Amino acid sequence: MWLSMRKINEIFYSLQGEGFHTGVPAVFVRFSGCNLKCSFCDTRHEEGRLMSDEEIVEEINKYPAKTVILTGGEPGLWIDEQLIQLLHRADKYVCIETNGTQPLPVDIDWITCSPKQGGTVVLTRIDELKVVYQNQDMSIYDCFSATHYFLQPCSCKNTAEVVSYILAHPKWRLSLQTHKLIDIQ
Ligand code: SF4
């Protein structure tokens, strides 16, 4: 069943601050709501307004970038093949940032998964596994198969620990929240 309206918190244009596509200009579509309640969640995603697909694409097309990043909240609660097809028809490269608990349309171009405690990951493909390091037992990520593995300090506070971990476990690469470092959205 196609969704006719989707709940959007905000649509904005910026640079991707984290992970594999750091520095890439992109239109961010932040969907409202999440199925998890992480104690450290710093994203204000609760508010939102219902928008049609046409309204969403029209807003995205106001900006010149090819890359669109679906984020949240949990965007997997709101998207389907119809929206991805529309974005592809608009010649967009579609990325998603997800907690991995929802099945996703197969034709999304790039999947960044950040698994969270209490959420079972159901994805069959992960391009980028992105983890915030909080001294957790890292063996819990051994079961994930991804093309790229990124480890990120928690709010830029434990960078030295993360660097040290990566040097000892070189499967991982450093991800910094560069948007916070240079004070952009
Ligand atoms: S999965 Fe992400 S958006 Fe959802 S509550 Fe956790 S940190 Fe917040």
Side-chain angles (χ1 to χ4, degrees), residues 34-38 40-43 45 72-74 99 114 116:
C34 186
N35 56 326
L36 301 181
K37 295 203 182 311
C38 306
F40 55 85
C41 184
D42 61 356
T43 309
H45 57 74
E74 175 45 51
N99 61 28
S114 297
K116 299 292 186 319

Side-chain angles (χ1 to χ4, degrees), residues 46-60:
E46 300 299 343
E47 301 298 312
R49 74 178 175 109
L50 291 172
M51 293 177 71
S52 69
D53 286 355
E54 290 69 28
E55 289 172 318
I56 293 169
V57 173
E58 189 182 322
E59 188 64 27
I60 289 170

Side-chain angles (χ1 to χ4, degrees), residues 2 11 22 27 29 32 40 46 48 65 70 72 80 88 91 94 104 109-110 120 124 130 133 136 143 158-159 165 177:
W2 300 133
I11 296 176
T22 295
V27 184
V29 181
S32 177
F40 55 85
E46 300 299 343
L70 310 177
D80 55 22
H88 280 157
D91 197 29
V94 184
L104 299 175
D109 299 297
W110 186 270
T120 303
T124 53
K130 193 172 65 181
Y133 188 59
Q136 67 269 52
C143 59
N158 55 346
T159 307
Y165 185 89
Q177 291 179 298

